[in-house]
Amino acid sequence: MLEFKNFRKSYDGKKDTVKDLNFTVEDGDICAFIGHNGAGKTTTLKCVAGILELTGGDILIDGKSIKKFPLQCKKIMSYLPDNPDLYDHLSGIDYLNFICDIYKMKDERSDLIKKYADMFEMTTFLGNSISTYSHGMKQKIAIISALIHSPKLLLLDEPFVGLDPVSTVKLKEILKELSKEGTTIFFSTHVLDVAEKLCNKIALIKKGELIVYGEMKTVTKDKSLEETFMEYMHE
């Protein structure tokens, strides 16, 4: 579902922020993308989403190049940034309907909006202006908008930041269920204990370079993900 082929990204044309990434995330994988601040995680996610241009190499989504077929790729993915920028003048329901319109959703939208709004306890607030929402409520609306069109590839940048404990548990349950249905989930996080319990794959990036990629149990062996992460960071 997601393949990096010698992917590089440079902002100034001189120094690569991300250097020659090569790995594949399969259908149904939940893959944690971890690294220190400034390692290149958000840059990579934005390139996968087609927000930033690639400097070199390619990124394939369901076998198609994000460079050559951006619209086809974007139709089957969702991207949740680390700081969602919503339209504050819209109500929650208007924003979700706007997202549904973009993906040309018809009959199924009402049921899906109700399903996710109920799960995240947002139903009674959907008629309110987004400008009145707390940070956590905005995060919930952004998550619902990312899930609403049932993407094949879900890109999440620090999705658990700002969520209350109950919503965190529910989001983890949703991601597990989507994975069972074949959705590929690729997300960055600093919450290592969540990543360890939730993910079957892990990609660790350091200073723009992929240090290790593979099955969670194979990479961590008999250690915790936190211990493994610290070892790689100090090597």
Side-chain angles (χ1 to χ4, degrees):
M1 178 53 65
L2 175 61
E3 182 179 1
F4 295 92
K5 302 179 71 174
N6 299 313
F7 161 61
R8 294 189 301 108
K9 175 60 182 176
S10 172
Y11 288 99
D12 59 10
K14 299 175 183 179
K15 183 179 179 180
D16 286 340
T17 302
V18 183
K19 311 169 187 177
D20 295 319
L21 289 195
N22 284 284
F23 65 98
T24 301
V25 187
E26 305 291 346
D27 292 5
D29 278 345
I30 306 181
C31 180
F33 192 41
I34 65 174
H36 57 84
N37 290 334
K41 302 185 301 297
T42 295
T43 293
T44 300
L45 286 167
K46 286 184 176 180
C47 286
V48 176
I51 296 170
L52 297 177
E53 291 186 2
L54 283 62
T55 301
D58 207 348
I59 297 173
L60 304 184
I61 297 161
D62 202 18
K64 294 183 175 64
S65 166
I66 187 64
K67 295 194 297 186
K68 297 179 181 178
F69 305 100
L71 189 57
Q72 291 93 321
C73 291
K74 291 177 183 181
K75 282 181 178 179
I76 63 170
M77 75 164 89
S78 281
Y79 168 61
L80 179 72
D82 58 346
N83 187 23
D85 191 10
L86 308 179
Y87 297 118
D88 282 354
H89 65 284
L90 295 179
S91 66
I93 189 64
D94 286 342
Y95 180 77
L96 294 177
N97 276 313
F98 167 64
I99 297 298
C100 289
D101 288 341
I102 289 175
Y103 289 101
K104 299 180 180 179
M105 296 175 62
K106 296 181 181 178
D107 299 336
E108 71 274 28
R109 71 167 65 186
S110 296
D111 290 340
L112 287 170
I113 289 175
K114 184 178 187 309
K115 171 187 173 181
Y116 289 122
D118 286 349
M119 289 186 74
F120 288 105
E121 300 178 340
M122 285 296 295
T123 304
T124 58
F125 303 104
L126 289 181
N128 298 353
S129 171
I130 291 175
S131 63
T132 67
Y133 288 179
S134 66
H135 174 73
M137 293 168 72
K138 289 181 179 180
Q139 182 76 354
K140 291 177 184 180
I141 286 293
I143 289 171
I144 294 170
S145 71
L147 298 171
I148 203 74
H149 72 102
S150 303
K152 288 185 176 181
L153 173 62
L154 192 54
L155 306 169
L156 308 171
D157 197 353
E158 297 289 350
F160 300 103
V161 173
L163 289 183
D164 58 78
V166 173
S167 296
T168 297
V169 171
K170 289 181 178 179
L171 179 56
K172 288 190 287 186
E173 291 173 352
I174 290 170
L175 296 182
K176 288 177 182 177
E177 189 62 34
L178 290 174
S179 172
K180 291 178 183 178
E181 295 171 0
T183 299
T184 302
I185 300 155
F186 186 62
F187 75 99
S188 72
T189 183
H190 290 301
V191 189
L192 299 185
D193 58 335
V194 170
E196 185 172 12
K197 295 175 183 177
L198 180 63
C199 302
N200 67 304
K201 294 279 184 70
I202 180 171
L204 197 158
I205 188 173
K206 180 179 179 181
K207 296 181 180 179
E209 297 184 21
L210 185 69
I211 302 301
V212 65
Y213 173 71
E215 294 284 344
M216 180 69 72
K217 293 181 180 179
T218 302
V219 172
T220 57
K221 298 178 182 177
D222 57 344
K223 301 175 183 177
S224 69
L225 178 56
E226 185 177 86
E227 290 173 320
T228 303
F229 176 77
M230 294 305 295
E231 283 185 7
Y232 278 110
M233 288 300 101
H234 286 110
E235 284 182 358

